[in-house]
């Protein structure tokens, strides 16, 4: 029996993780955590009967405690609660399906408690990869990618000698605005940006896909996960989202992972530590698909990708600034306080003002995050 704690159980990745658990007898949920949706969390507690539940919002935690006092589930709240859940004794694996840099501290706690990490929360690796990866090595835990691109690379690397990798090819759908130019993006509405052509995901990552910030974050995520330099990572636009990513080897072979766009596959692959199990669902039908096409990413229009590359090359604390500015900008865009293109402007401005700290500790990262948030809030 593999025992699982899920950080962010009420979100897109979280609910799909629970779906996988409910389909497999040898998986058991022992802990659940969410931000504030206690109605859904209560339902999940009644179905999966975890030992521990954590709610980010302290008031909501109290309310949930009342609601589930007839169950065996203990309820905790706030960051302390998330940290407790991450390190809980009963679990073998922690799924980090929370959104944003708030995932850094719980991920570190989970690793220190010896938990394997099924990592969806890319913001943690982007900003603290230099802490997370060595720590995972020190504690002998595995960082198992949930993101579909990284899972595809993980699957393509299975059984291969890492020294024979020549480059990683990360595929991108291009998002809902592929083919558009800057002038077409002036008046983009929130509803338009929330319509992803191929994947149904949480709001933040959906906006990130439209700006191509998501692809930028994924390049940085891949750098840390697979230990490959930036100049050996290439982004290829593949609008049908059928090829989930590829690896080119030194003999010229390219190994790719294909499938219908269904996040449950990478989630399940991560939960089983890279072992294949049955998963029902639609299969790829090549005759029906007809063709798979490729393009270069439009880096002039969709600045999320080149800005991320700049941040990664600058290194140190710069990816934190890139990520924090983006998190704030996306929140403002979702609140309809800024336009779509202002997201790029805010990131560029924040990066331009920052002086890089070479090897930031977790506290430095969280402090810089707060400073970036405050500066943007005072201006917009
Ligand atoms: P989502 O917005 O659907 O869900 C986020 C979850 O985090 C929710 O359960 C929410 O309650 C929880 N949360 C938010 N703030 C919290 C807090 N303060 N305390 C405790 N819990 C909190 O997001 P998502 O789309 O599932 O994405 C989660 C992560 O996975 C992100 O880092 C995203 O980039 C990554 N990811 C998602 C997908 C996808 O298909 N959705 C694919 C690849 C990677
Ligand atoms: Mg992805």
């Amino acid at each position: 029996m593999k025992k699982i704690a899920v950080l962010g159980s009420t979100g897109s990745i979280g609910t799909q993780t629970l779906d996988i658990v409910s389909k497999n007898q040898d998986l058991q949920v022992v802990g659940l955590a969410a931000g504030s949706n206690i109605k859904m969390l209560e339902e999940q507690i009644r179905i999966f009967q975890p030992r521990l539940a954590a709610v980010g919002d302290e008031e909501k935690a109290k309310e949930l405690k009342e609601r589930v006092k007839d169950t065996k589930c203990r309820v905790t709240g706030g960051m302390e609660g998330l940290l407790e859940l991450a390190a809980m004794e009963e679990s073998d694996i922690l799924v980090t399906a929370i959104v944003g840099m708030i995932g850094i501290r719980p991920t570190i706690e989970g690793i220190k408690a010896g938990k394997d990490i099924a990592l969806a929360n890319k913001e943690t690796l982007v900003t603290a990869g230099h802490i997370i990866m060595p720590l995972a090595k020190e504690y002998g835990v595995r960082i198992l990618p949930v993101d579909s691109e990284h899972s595809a690379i993980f699957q393509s690397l299975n059984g291969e000698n890492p020294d024979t990798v020549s480059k990683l090819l990360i595929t991108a759908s291009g998002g809902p605005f592929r083919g558009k130019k800057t002038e077409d993006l002036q008046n983009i509405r929130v509803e338009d940006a929330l319509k992803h052509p191929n994947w149904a995901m949480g709001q933040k990552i959906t906006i990130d896909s439209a700006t191509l910030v998501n692809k930028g974050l994924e390049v940085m995520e891949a750098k840390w996960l697979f230990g490959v330099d930036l100049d050996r990572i290439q982004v290829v636009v593949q609008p049908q989202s059928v090829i989930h990513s590829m690896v080119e080897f030194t003999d010229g072979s390219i190994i790719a992972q294909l499938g219908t766009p269904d996040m449950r596959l990478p989630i399940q692959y991560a939960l089983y530590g890279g072992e294949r199990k049955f998963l029902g669902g639609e299969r790829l039908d090549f005759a029906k698909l007809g063709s798979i096409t490729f393009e270069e990413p439009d880096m002039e229009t969709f600045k999320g990708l080149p800005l991320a590359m700049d941040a990664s090359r600058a290194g140190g604390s710069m990816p934190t600034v890139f990520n924090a500015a983006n998190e704030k900008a996306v929140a403002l865009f979702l609140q309809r306080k800024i336009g779509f293109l202002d997201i790029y402007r805010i990131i560029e401005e924040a990066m331009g003002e920052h002086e890089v700290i070479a090897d930031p500790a977790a506290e430095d990262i969280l402090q810089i995050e707060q400073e970036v948030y405050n500066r943007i809030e005072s201006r917009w």
Side-chain angles (χ1 to χ4, degrees):
M1 187 67 76
K2 198 168 237 181
K3 295 184 174 140
I4 299 167
V6 187
L7 197 61
S9 66
T10 57
S12 162
I13 295 291
T15 50
Q16 294 182 86
T17 301
L18 296 182
D19 184 49
I20 292 296
V21 170
S22 64
K23 289 185 166 68
N24 289 282
Q25 297 299 323
D26 55 352
L27 300 178
Q28 183 193 351
V29 170
V30 292
L32 294 172
S36 57
N37 185 352
I38 54 169
K39 183 166 180 281
M40 191 190 285
L41 195 51
E42 181 184 350
E43 284 165 20
Q44 293 177 343
I45 290 170
R46 296 199 181 279
I47 296 170
F48 292 96
Q49 301 175 2
R51 303 281 300 275
L52 183 66
V55 187
D57 182 318
E58 308 244 17
E59 283 308 307
K60 293 270 168 70
K62 282 184 201 146
E63 210 181 312
L64 182 68
K65 203 173 188 165
E66 263 313 293
R67 289 210 208 175
V68 299
K69 63 179 178 207
D70 61 309
T71 70
K72 289 203 180 91
C73 181
R74 191 160 64 78
V75 178
T76 63
M79 179 48 81
E80 287 312 310
L82 302 186
L83 297 178
E84 190 186 340
L85 180 116
M88 71 185 287
E89 209 190 317
E90 296 86 347
S91 72
D92 305 314
I93 183 163
L94 173 67
V95 180
T96 61
I98 197 166
V99 63
M101 281 160 72
I102 190 167
I104 294 175
R105 290 184 59 202
T107 306
I108 290 176
E109 278 316 293
I111 294 171
K112 285 186 174 165
K115 313 299 176 192
D116 281 335
I117 308 289
L119 183 132
N121 178 229
K122 61 188 82 179
E123 296 90 345
T124 281
L125 220 46
V126 165
T127 56
H130 61 290
I131 299 170
I132 301 291
M133 296 312 289
L135 199 66
K137 203 169 168 200
E138 185 187 336
Y139 284 87
V141 307
R142 304 177 75 188
I143 307 288
L144 300 153
V146 167
D147 211 343
S148 60
E149 292 76 3
H150 306 77
S151 176
I153 292 169
F154 181 45
Q155 293 179 54
S156 301
L157 286 172
N158 198 347
E160 300 289 346
N161 175 354
D163 295 339
T164 62
V165 171
S166 61
K167 67 177 176 183
L168 308 180
L169 296 139
I170 296 190
T171 52
S173 70
F177 307 133
R178 184 176 57 87
K180 291 203 190 302
K181 293 286 166 201
T182 302
E183 54 275 19
D184 308 319
L185 299 176
Q186 305 281 14
N187 299 315
I188 289 298
R189 294 170 312 159
V190 172
E191 304 78 72
D192 304 322
L194 284 178
K195 272 183 216 136
H196 194 279
N198 306 324
W199 299 94
M201 310 178 283
Q203 289 201 336
K204 193 245 169 191
I205 185 176
T206 305
I207 302 300
D208 287 350
S209 300
T211 56
L212 250 64
V213 162
N214 183 50
K215 216 40 66 178
L217 295 173
E218 289 182 350
V219 168
M220 296 196 247
E221 187 185 2
K223 179 186 118 168
W224 288 116
L225 273 173
F226 304 109
V228 170
D229 303 337
L230 219 57
D231 46 7
R232 290 199 297 144
I233 304 176
Q234 186 186 341
V235 173
V236 181
V237 176
Q238 197 282 279
Q240 298 80 18
S241 297
V242 163
I243 300 179
H244 299 309
S245 278
M246 311 179 254
V247 179
E248 187 188 291
F249 293 88
T250 45
D251 62 355
S253 273
I254 293 176
I255 298 187
Q257 186 256 336
L258 286 74
T260 50
D262 182 349
M263 282 309 295
R264 294 177 316 144
L265 190 157
I267 292 169
Q268 176 171 288
Y269 197 76
L271 291 179
Y272 283 106
E275 222 182 286
R276 248 176 240 297
K277 299 270 165 177
F278 174 79
L279 177 62
E282 213 187 320
R283 301 304 191 230
L284 260 191
D285 179 338
F286 285 99
K288 218 159 101 191
L289 183 65
S291 60
I292 304 176
T293 57
F294 303 94
E295 290 168 24
E296 287 231 47
D298 175 357
M299 308 259 240
E300 302 255 307
T301 309
F302 299 98
K303 291 194 205 150
L305 185 53
L307 282 169
M309 306 271 213
D310 289 348
S312 186
R313 289 212 168 85
S317 53
M318 196 57 101
T320 294
V321 174
F322 170 85
N323 185 66
N326 178 62
E327 283 187 16
K328 191 79 211 169
V330 170
L332 290 171
F333 176 69
L334 287 169
Q335 293 159 26
R336 298 167 204 268
K337 289 186 179 156
I338 63 167
F340 185 77
L341 293 170
D342 292 330
I343 298 176
Y344 299 137
R345 202 167 304 149
I346 287 174
I347 299 172
E348 254 176 320
E349 214 171 79
M351 283 173 57
E353 285 172 349
H354 182 69
E355 250 180 70
V356 176
I357 299 174
D359 196 11
E363 305 81 63
D364 300 324
I365 292 171
L366 297 171
Q367 192 189 332
I368 293 167
E369 175 193 38
Q370 203 50 53
E371 286 165 9
V372 171
Y373 280 5
N374 293 348
R375 217 171 310 130
I376 296 170
E377 253 166 31
S378 70
R379 285 187 199 158
W380 294 81

